[in-house]
Amino acid sequence: MKTVIAAALVSILLAMAVTPLADDSDAAGIIVTDGIGNVITLDGPTDRIITMGTGITATVIGVGALDKISVCDNYAYRNTDPIFDGLRALVNEGKVLAGGNIYSSGIDQLKKDIIYVSDPDTGNFDIDSDVIVVTGSETYRNNIVPYLRDNGFRNIMQWSDITEYADIIGFAKTISMVCNGKVVKPVEDMEYISDYVKEELAKESPTPKDAFYVTFSANVFKVGNKGSLANSMIMAAGGNSITLDPSQSASTYETNLTNLVSEHPGCIAFADNSVVSDQDKLKMLEAQIGDKATIVPLQSIWNNYTLKSSEGLWTMACAMYPDIFEGDVPTTDTDTELGAVEYFLAGLGTALVAIIGSYIFIWRRP
């Protein structure tokens, strides 16, 4: 009887060793949902991608898919952040087109670039299988999306805006799946940083640090409110946002900074790059807050839905709680990316242990 049972267990193990690999070769594909609820089904990771929006372009680069970009907008090309260095080189070599954008000033050229790369005689973008991602308000997305549909482009993904740090992680996971068929380690690290900060703050239980985000627009300083990504990052880093105001509908609003910091002495003002990169604006800010608050500069790429936002969150956490956080941005200790074969082998190992344990138990029974 024991011999029969053992043989059966071995047969099950052999079956498990073959079936998953066969199933993987016939995988159903990738199913993802964009920011406005559209479900996109792909046979596998996209070969080429068209990106419209600095954030999406930076995210595609961040997940390791720079070489898949066929067209991007000229805002990404002109962005001076080092993350775009490789992109600029490809554009200058003519391997990526970046002449237009979704606004009235660049929409005609953007359409020409897209049609050029999707023409089998001149480009390498497949309108049936490859992916286009458009970010921006519905008004501006409507400058290009109907045109793309009329011209037969099937896989169009759209995001209106992302205003919460946690939502950036979901966005990055989706883009990673589209480009790679899996969630890559840089995206996992982005989520890990957020979790790490929460766990450390939970252990130490410091008094929440008063802080706020300040930017400059329409010739006045404005502070962050609900709907401001930078403001959500302050809270994700454990800060107490002192400018949250339900009576204000806008994501940023004008307020008296002198009074604000007087009511919250020792607070931190996380200043937008548009402020700290302009000496005149920075001096104006310093004059209004005096010595009541500490100014911490932000990089422009942090206040966007990119993987780089995690660096901003870490900078905020270090500024608010220097006794708890310091040093380089933390990452996961090991590379946790698993492809189909690795997942299979991991599962097989677990199954093997279980089967051997069962066999020993049965063998020892009287």
Side-chain angles (χ1 to χ4, degrees):
M1 180 64 178
K2 294 175 182 176
T3 302
V4 173
I5 295 174
L9 291 174
V10 171
S11 298
I12 294 172
L13 178 60
L14 290 175
M16 291 177 65
V18 176
T19 304
L21 292 180
D23 286 347
D24 183 69
S25 65
D26 298 322
I30 299 169
I31 301 175
V32 292
T33 303
D34 69 7
I36 62 173
N38 294 323
V39 177
I40 307 294
T41 302
L42 307 172
D43 291 336
T46 186
D47 292 325
R48 309 295 299 180
I49 192 167
I50 292 173
T51 60
M52 304 176 208
T54 302
I56 174 57
T57 304
T59 301
V60 169
I61 295 172
V63 301
L66 170 61
D67 60 344
K68 294 191 174 188
I69 298 176
S70 293
V71 175
C72 68
D73 60 45
N74 51 19
Y75 287 100
Y77 171 67
R78 295 170 183 169
N79 195 296
T80 58
D81 190 277
I83 194 174
F84 297 105
D85 288 348
L87 175 71
R88 280 190 293 274
L90 293 177
V91 174
N92 293 337
E93 294 169 8
K95 296 179 180 178
V96 176
L97 300 184
N101 54 67
I102 63 173
Y103 307 107
S104 57
S105 61
I107 190 65
D108 289 339
Q109 185 59 50
L110 178 63
K111 292 176 179 178
K112 291 178 182 178
D113 288 350
I114 293 174
I115 293 302
Y116 182 87
V117 300
S118 60
D119 186 328
D121 294 329
T122 56
N124 53 14
F125 188 91
D126 191 317
I127 66 174
D128 292 316
S129 60
D130 291 331
V131 174
I132 295 177
V133 184
V134 187
T135 58
S137 69
E138 183 177 6
T139 298
Y140 292 119
R141 285 186 281 111
N142 282 339
N143 286 342
I144 189 66
V145 171
Y147 174 82
L148 296 173
R149 288 174 176 157
D150 290 343
N151 281 274
F153 291 87
R154 288 187 56 193
N155 302 315
I156 306 169
M157 303 187 72
Q158 303 178 62
W159 272 265
S160 178
D161 196 11
I162 297 178
T163 59
E164 298 290 333
Y165 181 83
D167 293 338
I168 306 177
I169 298 173
F171 169 76
K173 287 181 177 180
T174 299
I175 298 304
S176 183
M177 287 298 299
V178 167
C179 292
N180 304 297
K182 62 184 178 182
V183 177
V184 296
K185 186 176 183 295
V187 179
E188 294 175 341
D189 286 341
M190 184 181 188
E191 187 169 29
Y192 171 76
I193 293 167
S194 177
D195 292 341
Y196 175 79
V197 169
K198 289 178 183 177
E199 291 171 2
E200 292 301 306
L201 290 175
K203 287 191 296 184
E204 300 294 335
S205 299
T207 301
K209 183 69 174 180
D210 289 342
F212 66 98
Y213 166 67
V214 59
T215 187
F216 191 88
S217 66
N219 294 318
V220 296
F221 286 111
K222 295 182 179 181
V223 295
N225 194 20
K226 182 175 177 58
S228 161
L229 177 56
N231 191 72
S232 80
M233 290 166 61
I234 290 174
M235 294 184 289
N240 173 43
S241 173
I242 59 176
T243 56
L244 279 177
D245 188 349
S247 68
Q248 299 283 346
S249 59
S251 59
T252 60
Y253 62 91
E254 182 182 3
T255 192
N256 188 311
L257 294 180
T258 303
N259 290 343
L260 178 68
V261 298
S262 295
E263 294 169 359
H264 302 274
C267 65
I268 294 179
F270 291 106
D272 190 79
N273 186 258
S274 64
V275 175
V276 296
S277 62
D278 186 314
Q279 286 301 309
D280 291 336
K281 293 175 184 175
L282 181 57
K283 289 179 180 178
M284 289 170 56
L285 177 62
E286 291 171 341
Q288 293 191 32
I289 67 175
D291 60 357
K292 299 291 186 180
T294 301
I295 298 174
V296 175
L298 301 178
Q299 295 183 19
S300 59
I301 197 67
W302 294 346
N303 193 22
N304 206 325
Y305 31 107
T306 76
L307 274 62
K308 289 285 187 179
S309 296
S310 60
E311 296 179 9
L313 186 145
W314 179 248
T315 297
M316 290 177 171
C318 290
M320 292 188 290
Y321 308 103
D323 294 336
I324 302 176
F325 307 110
E326 63 178 351
D328 296 334
V329 181
T331 62
T332 51
D333 294 332
T334 57
D335 188 342
T336 55
E337 294 176 17
L338 294 178
V341 174
E342 288 84 355
Y343 274 118
F344 161 67
L345 292 177
L348 180 60
T350 302
L352 179 60
V353 171
I355 289 173
I356 292 175
S358 299
Y359 177 72
I360 292 173
F361 174 76
I362 294 171
W363 189 262
R364 286 181 175 179
R365 288 182 62 187

